[in-house]
Amino acid sequence: MVRIKGANSDYEYSVANETVQAVDPQPEKLYLKLFICPYDQPSSVDPHKAEEPCCNGIDRTCPNQGKKQGHALIQLHQEDGIQLVTDNNNQIVINQKGNIQLLPSPGGQAEVNGALMVKQQNQVLLEISNQTISLQLGGAKISLTPAGKIEISTPKQQGEVTINGNLTINGNLTVTGKIVGDFDLSKANVSLSEASLKAISEEVKKRLQQS
């Protein structure tokens, strides 16, 4: 036998006839597997004894009595699509439903060395590179730059940014538009421009006149 293996839905080794023969009746689900078994365990199309289990390209089910690591499997499946599987069930799946899945093994991680861009209908939703990290949807955008800036943008500067909780600012706050709502500035060192002070003064006068 060889360590480069294969198996499929339509053919298997017949122990009785000592040959590979077609599966009858034909299985409903069609698949093809190509894999390596470092321990030269038989696949379902290799000669083997009736009571002898077969290797299917996954380390945890390999019948080898000693080590089991080192398998790698490519599977084409009528329903599951294309699967790439390595040790500890580490997988990349391109399924028949239009999805591509990265499934790292427990404790593992998916790594991208280079830029990453996620699009939908030619619209960039997520971009990660050494120049920017940005997330955007419906005209709203959050960007991080190498200069350490964080920018939050809304469509035509008319959208809303809602914070459900407390906001602490350890630094300066610059406002170029209107402040709406209640603010506790008792502990803040507030520095207002002449125009802002004049506007506040006019508003106070107006409120006093109305009362």
Side-chain angles (χ1 to χ4, degrees):
M1 292 187 286
V2 295
R3 295 184 297 171
I4 300 174
K5 306 288 182 178
N8 63 81
S9 56
D10 291 9
Y11 292 89
E12 64 182 7
Y13 179 77
S14 170
V15 177
N17 298 328
E18 297 185 345
T19 185
V20 176
Q21 62 183 36
V23 176
D24 188 24
Q26 244 182 15
E28 181 179 346
K29 298 178 181 179
L30 179 66
Y31 69 83
L32 171 65
K33 295 182 179 182
L34 175 65
F35 61 91
I36 59 172
C37 175
Y39 314 105
D40 200 12
Q41 297 298 305
S43 72
S44 58
V45 295
D46 288 327
H48 60 277
K49 298 178 181 179
E51 69 279 4
E52 187 177 16
C54 296
C55 181
N56 58 13
I58 300 176
D59 58 347
R60 69 176 182 274
T61 58
C62 180
N64 188 55
Q65 296 300 313
K67 295 181 179 180
K68 297 181 182 294
Q69 293 78 19
H71 292 79
L73 164 70
I74 300 174
Q75 175 175 268
L76 311 180
H77 194 281
Q78 178 179 340
E79 292 187 354
D80 298 337
I82 303 173
Q83 289 178 282
L84 307 179
V85 186
T86 59
D87 283 348
N88 299 316
N89 208 32
N90 204 28
Q91 296 187 49
I92 297 177
V93 179
I94 305 174
N95 64 29
Q96 304 286 29
K97 298 178 181 179
N99 299 321
I100 300 176
Q101 299 174 297
L102 300 178
L103 304 172
S105 59
Q109 62 184 17
E111 297 182 7
V112 177
N113 293 318
L116 173 65
M117 186 174 293
V118 178
K119 292 184 177 180
Q120 187 171 25
Q121 298 178 347
N122 294 324
Q123 179 185 359
V124 178
L125 302 180
L126 173 65
E127 182 179 0
I128 300 175
S129 70
N130 60 356
Q131 294 299 317
T132 184
I133 296 177
S134 65
L135 174 67
Q136 55 185 318
L137 181 65
K141 184 176 182 180
I142 300 175
S143 299
L144 284 72
T145 69
K149 293 183 178 180
I150 300 176
E151 299 176 359
I152 301 176
S153 306
T154 59
K156 299 180 181 179
Q157 297 183 350
Q158 295 178 352
E160 294 183 357
V161 178
T162 302
I163 299 173
N164 295 316
N166 300 321
L167 174 64
T168 301
I169 300 174
N170 296 316
N172 299 324
L173 173 64
T174 302
V175 180
T176 58
K178 295 181 179 180
I179 297 178
V180 181
D182 298 327
F183 285 83
D184 181 6
L185 301 177
S186 60
K187 297 181 180 180
N189 182 9
V190 181
S191 177
L192 300 175
S193 65
E194 291 294 331
S196 296
L197 290 172
K198 183 178 180 180
I200 292 173
S201 176
E202 293 295 332
E203 184 66 23
V204 170
K205 288 179 181 179
K206 185 189 299 184
R207 295 291 179 89
L208 290 174
Q209 291 174 356
Q210 291 176 350
S211 62

